[in-house]
Each structure stands twice: as structure tokens, then as C-alpha cells.
Amino acid sequence: MKKLIDIYQKFLSLVKMIDGLPLLVMRFLLALGFYYPAMEKWSNMEATIAWFGNEEWGLGLPFPEIQAYLAATTEFLGVWMLIFGIGTRIISIPLIFTMIMAIFTVHIDHGWYTIGQSALNPEIADRIGAAKDILKANGDYGWLTEQGSFVILQNGVETVVTYIIMLATLVTVGPGQLSVDYILGKKMLKE
């Protein structure tokens, strides 16, 4: 039994040496996830404002200009603050709020999955099958699918909820040892 405890303690020592790495990777994954939506919003803010405000084909949000700028700015700042681990707990809160808004304005009507699951939904399986038949008959199906399978984007809440859980982890646990927050915190404790 003592030998087993010794092995476990050595394992814990090894894990302790890299305990900041998973949080760093989590921050980078979140930053990557927010980067493209932020850049898309900022690259054509007029279209973003129109999408936020239009009730027929958009989100129909009140004050679309303010909300578009708030979402784009939060996401853009979030990218850089997450990458460097600066104010991580603070920026994670408005990012969570932005994700909650995304759930209720964009994703909630589409179910759970980001990618439609043909095994769970015969209609999705039928649509994928029909699309494959059309592509095989009228296009170069091999070229079209050589980078990946043909799928239906369901755009459900799966990814957004995952982001919220990751952000909540950063709020409660912090950004980890490989962050500016950690370095500044250690420095402040010494003074």
C-alpha cells in the first residue's frame, strides 16, 4: 500500500508541474472561438447592426447599434485578455453574458447540437442523403468532401454552453500560473 501511495504522490508532483497548461489551452481555445465572430462583426459593423436590429431576418434586438458594438468590443477585448491572462476573471463575466444572449437570440430554437446528428434525427439523415445524391450527380463529390464530410449545421446551443462552462471555470479557478494575472498576483502578495 505504501508503494501505491508513493507512486500516486509522484504522479501528483508531475501533474503539479504542468497544472497551468490546461487553463492556458482553455484560454487559447476560447480566444480562438471569439476571434472570428469579433472580426466578422467589426469588419462590417453596418451589417452587424442591421442583423441585430432587423425583426424579419435578424435578431430584432432593441438598440441594435449599442448591442452590436458592445458584443463586438467584448469579444475583441476578450480575445486578447484571454490570450495573455490579463483580467481573466473580469472579462469572462461579460463574455458569459454575451454567450447567454447568443443562446436566447440565435441558438435556442435549434436544439442542442451544433452539427445535426443524422443518427438521432431521420429528417437530417434524409436531407444529407438527398444533398449527397445531388452533389454526386452534379458535381465533383470527391473534391467537395476531401476536406471533411458533408454535414448540416444545426447551430444549437452545444458550443455556446461549452464556452459558458469554460468561462465560468476561469471565473472561479482563475487563469492559471501561465498568465499575467498570476504573475501580478504573486508580485502583489510579496509587497
Side-chain angles (χ1 to χ4, degrees):
M1 184 66 151
K2 170 116 172 71
K3 189 169 190 155
L4 190 58
I5 292 171
D6 288 343
I7 291 170
Y8 184 68
Q9 287 177 334
K10 287 179 184 177
F11 169 74
L12 289 179
S13 295
L14 288 171
V15 170
K16 185 73 176 154
M17 291 186 331
I18 61 164
D19 71 352
L21 193 58
L23 292 169
L24 175 68
V25 172
M26 184 185 299
R27 293 192 340 254
F28 282 8
L29 287 172
L30 283 164
L32 183 62
F34 285 112
Y35 178 77
Y36 291 104
M39 293 301 100
E40 190 172 327
K41 286 176 182 78
W42 278 111
S43 69
N44 193 348
M45 187 53 76
E46 292 82 24
T48 301
I49 292 166
W51 178 55
F52 272 44
N54 192 295
E55 291 185 24
E56 286 182 41
W57 51 264
L59 303 177
L61 298 174
F63 312 108
E65 189 169 304
I66 293 170
Q67 292 205 49
Y69 277 105
L70 280 173
T73 302
T74 300
E75 291 171 351
F76 182 79
L77 288 175
V79 167
W80 300 107
M81 292 174 80
L82 288 168
I83 286 172
F84 294 105
I86 301 171
T88 308
R89 287 182 158 126
I90 295 167
I91 194 61
S92 293
I93 294 168
L95 286 170
I96 289 171
F97 181 74
T98 302
M99 293 294 91
I100 291 169
M101 290 292 293
I103 286 174
F104 289 107
T105 58
V106 177
H107 302 279
I108 199 158
D109 293 335
H110 303 287
W112 173 256
Y113 293 103
T114 302
I115 303 295
Q117 302 296 309
S118 59
L120 301 176
N121 187 337
E123 183 181 345
I124 290 175
D126 291 344
R127 289 177 185 219
I128 289 175
K132 285 180 179 180
D133 291 343
I134 292 167
L135 291 171
K136 286 176 183 175
N138 299 301
D140 186 352
Y141 186 75
W143 176 80
L144 290 168
T145 59
E146 72 184 16
Q147 298 294 315
S149 300
F150 183 71
V151 299
I152 291 179
L153 177 64
Q154 189 169 314
N155 209 17
V157 299
E158 176 184 18
T159 301
V160 182
V161 169
T162 302
Y163 284 6
I164 290 171
I165 292 167
M166 292 167 72
L167 289 163
T169 300
L170 292 175
V171 170
T172 57
V173 175
Q177 295 175 358
L178 302 172
S179 67
V180 172
D181 287 346
Y182 181 82
I183 294 165
L184 290 177
K186 274 187 93 168
K187 198 171 203 173
M188 290 168 71
L189 287 174
K190 286 183 180 179
E191 294 175 0

